[in-house]
Amino acid sequence: MTTKNLLGLGTFLITVFVLVPVGISVSGRWDFYYTLTSVALLSIGAAGVWLTFYIGRINIGQGAYALIGGYVSAVLVVKADVSFWLTLPLAGLFCTTVSVLIGLPILRLRGVYFAMVTLVLTEVTRLSALALPVTNGAKGITSIPLPGELSILGLTIIPDFATMQNPKLAFYLLAAFLMVVSYAVLWRIVNSRLGHLCRSLQQNEELAASIGVNVAYLRVLAYGISSFYGGIAGAVFVAISQSIYPSSFVVTDSVNFMLYCFLGGLGYVSGPMLGTLLLYFGWNLLSVAKEYQLLVYASVMIALMLAVPNGVLSLFDRKGDRK
Amino acid sequence: MTAILHVNGITKRYGGLTAVNKVSFEVAKGEILSVIGPNGAGKSTLFKLISSFVPATEGEVLFGGERISDRAPHKVARLGVVRTFQETTIFRSMTVRDNIIVAHHLRSKASLLGFFAGSRQARADEEAFGASADDIIAFLCLDAIRDELASNLPQGHLRALGMAIGLATQPTVLLLDEPFAGMNHDETMKMVANVRRLRDERGVTVLLVEHDMPAVMKISDRIVVINFGEKIAEGTPAEIQSNPRVIEAYLGSEDAAIGM
Ligand SMILES: Nc1ncnc2c1ncn2[C@@H]1O[C@H](COP(=O)(O)OP(=O)(O)OP(=O)(O)O)[C@@H](O)[C@H]1O
Ligand SMILES: [Mg+2]
């Protein structure tokens, strides 16, 4: 990393963990916590989608994994009395397992075919949540307790959320922390040989196979990591809203995850994060347009994609280099 | 001669069309063997069968006595049988050097997790790949374009890059599908010399498909001729040039005559 990158990273971390909380407490705009927490969690899901784009697959199914992750956490917390902190990685791992089983056959598909199947996956997941007994159908799972205490060897790492004065701040810090870790992992993947191999898949799978790359394995690996991100995001969302329904994540959410990536830029690790922030706030700002909100939103999106096809970040990157 | 590759009665049918029909031949270690034949004769399909990119309908390919048909192509590459493509096939949005570096994948000793964590082995691997890539760049005289984006290269250089990618895997047998296509006379002669050096200096066994007859006659130890999916002749360049069946096959097509 160059000094410039380090400075940027430092500024980013200070903004997220110090300036934002201070700014909110000074201005008294507590509602911003919910907005920014959502942005952080959505950007984790988007980071996963971005990784599937990175191996050359259009993924419109991240909503499915957010829903699955959410249910895994909710069911374990409510029915088996498992600590939320344990359900968090379990939700991710469960999603990875599901995605490996589904991915083995469907990742052979390319382009629009893969995209269609992932889109259908979101709907199938919603219908399954409606039908399965364990998910409690349309009534969903409600009154989920807040995350309890996380302690290791008697040492309290995170106090019980129910006893906190300001659980909103705690959720924000949790989401921001997970987001930073997720993007650090993604950055490392992209800048290691793993990323190099992913790019080779994206550009030419046949050639990659001819130089000995296990194409099927690498595709499933990337998709598995992607779905882990989706599951984690879903699990935290459910902990915040303390409830989950089959309609908690739907096709629109899957499409949005993809749009976040497009808007931010597929060539940049931080693209999905910026895309999520812009789109989430952009959508809310457009509420002034009332019944024309969707129309204006769609027009702006189309204009943006035509004007900056490589994402907003490409505007700052005249050389076209990869970060 | 010790044969390193045995092709035994290999057949490929696409629906009603038999692209390759019961073709058998052997390749000796360190040999340069060309496969020639008119357009659509089945040469590329034969190469795809040998490298296991398409499954054979019948027959098999043995490499070092081991059956390699029906294995995944990346496993066959791992064993040392590597193909290049007739269509220019490179990683378009990578530089020439990055193309060659990524092609070193087979030789990494570190695991993917090791690369992720930046282990000592991973760093040693990266260093070795870089050095080896520079070596290949020098070997194929690509120094002038090493940092050029592959999508910007002219046809002649793309062919050379395709070969460089194949070389980076350190193959035992390298299958080159029309390596001189789109090259002018000088470029072709340079590449002919490179393929020779590949065999002489690195001991690579080379199979190649080519339409450029002067180049084929110059470079090959032996030639296999395919017409309508069937092998119609096999022998040294001199034998092939005087073989009546070969002459007939070439006169019967619009292809250039086989003479010099
Ligand atoms: N995937 C496929 N499906 C159906 N037919 C195919 C397929 N691949 C090749 N063929 C047919 O098999 C025959 C042999 O094709 P092949 O590409 O092997 O010829 P070739 O000798 O390499 O020709 P050229 O000199 O033009 O490269 C052709 O008739 C071709 O149309
Ligand atoms: Mg061909």
Side-chain angles (χ1 to χ4, degrees):
Chain A
M1 261 202 250
T2 62
T3 340
K4 198 170 151 234
N5 284 351
L6 276 177
L7 266 177
L9 180 67
T11 316
F12 173 73
L13 290 178
I14 290 173
T15 308
V16 169
F17 290 110
V18 180
L19 295 186
V20 165
V22 168
I24 286 176
S25 81
V26 168
S27 68
R29 290 292 307 267
W30 298 99
D31 56 315
F32 264 135
Y33 270 136
Y34 181 74
T35 317
L36 288 173
T37 306
S38 300
V39 168
L41 293 175
L42 289 172
S43 74
I44 295 173
V49 173
W50 187 89
L51 187 60
T52 28
F53 270 114
Y54 209 57
I55 59 163
R57 290 293 183 283
I58 303 168
N59 182 352
I60 328 182
Q62 189 70 315
Y65 293 107
L67 193 65
I68 295 172
Y71 269 112
V72 168
S73 173
V75 168
L76 287 176
V77 168
V78 171
K79 306 206 168 163
D81 210 17
V82 180
S83 158
F84 165 78
W85 303 108
L86 187 58
T87 69
L88 195 56
L90 287 179
L93 288 176
F94 189 85
C95 286
T96 300
T97 313
V98 172
S99 71
V100 167
L101 294 177
I102 294 176
L104 280 173
I106 70 166
L107 281 163
R108 291 163 196 264
L109 302 172
R110 296 185 197 189
V112 70
Y113 300 102
F114 179 80
M116 291 311 292
V117 174
T118 56
L119 193 65
V120 170
L121 189 64
T122 317
E123 190 58 11
V124 168
T125 309
R126 184 182 74 85
L127 294 174
S128 308
L130 269 174
L132 290 175
V134 70
T135 52
N136 205 22
K139 291 198 289 294
I141 300 174
T142 50
S143 316
I144 303 168
L146 286 170
E149 184 184 291
L150 174 67
S151 60
I152 296 173
L153 304 171
L155 191 74
T156 305
I157 313 260
I158 302 169
D160 191 338
F161 273 48
T163 64
M164 279 184 197
Q165 257 191 348
N166 192 351
K168 273 190 182 142
L169 171 63
F171 271 124
Y172 168 75
L173 292 176
L174 170 66
F177 173 76
L178 290 174
M179 176 181 80
V180 168
V181 173
S182 304
Y183 277 81
V185 169
L186 190 64
W187 185 86
R188 191 51 214 157
I189 289 175
V190 167
N191 287 284
S192 76
R193 188 156 186 82
L194 205 52
H196 213 151
L197 291 176
C198 290
R199 285 199 289 287
S200 81
L201 281 199
Q202 181 198 68
Q203 291 174 34
N204 199 322
E205 289 190 3
E206 272 212 311
L207 181 59
S210 83
I211 57 170
V213 177
N214 189 341
V215 175
Y217 170 78
L218 205 58
R219 281 192 303 229
V220 167
L221 181 68
Y223 190 53
I225 295 172
S226 157
S227 309
F228 187 90
Y229 280 21
I232 295 267
V236 181
F237 259 119
V238 169
I240 295 172
S241 58
Q242 296 186 267
S243 62
I244 182 166
Y245 305 95
S247 56
S248 290
F249 293 97
V250 290
V251 168
T252 322
D253 296 290
S254 285
V255 172
N256 279 336
F257 279 123
M258 179 190 66
L259 291 180
Y260 299 149
C261 294
F262 271 138
L263 186 70
L266 296 179
Y268 311 88
V269 174
S270 48
M273 193 192 295
L274 184 71
T276 313
L277 188 72
L278 290 179
L279 269 194
Y280 198 92
F281 273 94
W283 173 252
N284 287 345
L285 286 179
L286 283 179
S287 62
V288 294
K290 301 237 167 55
E291 68 264 38
Y292 298 112
Q293 186 178 16
L294 191 58
L295 183 69
V296 177
Y297 176 80
S299 312
V300 171
M301 278 305 287
I302 292 170
L304 272 175
M305 288 196 186
L306 289 176
V308 275
N310 295 323
V312 173
L313 279 174
S314 66
L315 291 174
F316 306 98
D317 191 7
R318 280 280 158 229
K319 295 188 306 292
D321 291 350
R322 180 178 316 278
K323 268 278 252 308
Chain B
M1 97 179 185
T2 48
I4 191 169
L5 201 69
H6 296 260
V7 178
N8 294 338
I10 202 112
T11 299
K12 179 69 194 177
R13 273 191 281 275
Y14 289 112
L17 179 112
T18 308
V20 174
N21 195 0
K22 299 201 186 76
V23 170
S24 301
F25 60 93
E26 290 178 0
V27 186
K29 188 160 172 38
E31 188 174 31
I32 299 181
L33 181 129
S34 296
V35 177
I36 62 169
N39 286 113
K43 307 177 297 291
S44 295
T45 307
L46 178 65
F47 270 25
K48 286 176 202 163
L49 287 166
I50 295 175
S51 53
S52 205
F53 267 71
V54 298
T57 316
E58 278 164 33
E60 59 176 6
V61 178
L62 305 180
F63 172 62
E66 217 179 319
R67 186 186 158 96
I68 54 172
S69 310
D70 306 327
R71 296 202 189 184
H74 74 269
K75 288 192 180 145
V76 172
R78 212 159 275 194
L79 286 172
V81 179
V82 175
R83 75 178 276 220
T84 68
F85 296 73
Q86 176 173 0
E87 316 77 37
T88 39
T89 304
I90 36 96
F91 300 120
R92 291 179 55 80
S93 338
M94 292 188 198
T95 64
V96 167
R97 190 165 181 269
D98 276 349
N99 263 278
I100 303 175
I101 285 182
V102 78
H104 279 79
H105 173 68
L106 276 180
R107 289 157 61 192
S108 43
K109 297 195 193 75
S111 64
L112 285 180
L113 197 63
F115 279 111
F116 177 80
S119 71
R120 183 180 303 211
Q121 181 65 60
R123 275 173 288 148
D125 278 359
E126 293 291 1
E127 207 161 297
F129 297 169
S132 164
D134 293 335
D135 186 43
I136 292 170
I137 286 170
F139 184 83
L140 293 175
C141 310
L142 298 172
D143 297 275
I145 53 160
R146 50 183 286 146
D147 294 319
E148 197 71 49
L149 212 56
S151 53
N152 296 339
L153 297 179
Q155 186 66 18
H157 278 144
L158 287 175
R159 293 268 139 202
L161 177 56
M163 193 188 294
I165 291 173
L167 263 186
T169 62
Q170 280 197 337
T172 313
V173 176
L174 187 59
L175 304 154
L176 302 169
D177 199 343
E178 306 203 5
F180 313 136
M183 289 189 177
N184 63 31
H185 179 76
D186 288 350
E187 287 170 333
T188 304
M189 285 307 126
K190 242 188 249 161
M191 278 304 258
V192 165
N194 283 338
V195 173
R196 274 255 174 77
R197 280 170 57 220
L198 201 65
R199 189 265 307 272
D200 297 343
E201 294 171 20
R202 305 194 173 199
V204 181
T205 304
V206 179
L207 261 75
L208 61 96
V209 164
E210 196 34 74
H211 285 289
D212 183 335
M213 285 309 147
V216 167
M217 296 302 159
K218 198 169 147 93
I219 201 174
S220 314
D221 296 319
R222 279 189 314 130
I223 299 174
V224 166
V225 189
I226 308 266
N227 196 19
F228 293 115
E230 286 180 40
K231 185 175 93 174
I232 58 167
E234 177 177 352
T236 62
E239 287 164 5
I240 293 301
Q241 271 171 295
S242 58
N243 185 315
R245 286 194 70 187
V246 177
I247 294 168
E248 190 193 343
Y250 270 84
L251 287 179
S253 76
E254 288 166 27
D255 233 300
I258 192 151
M260 309 263 87

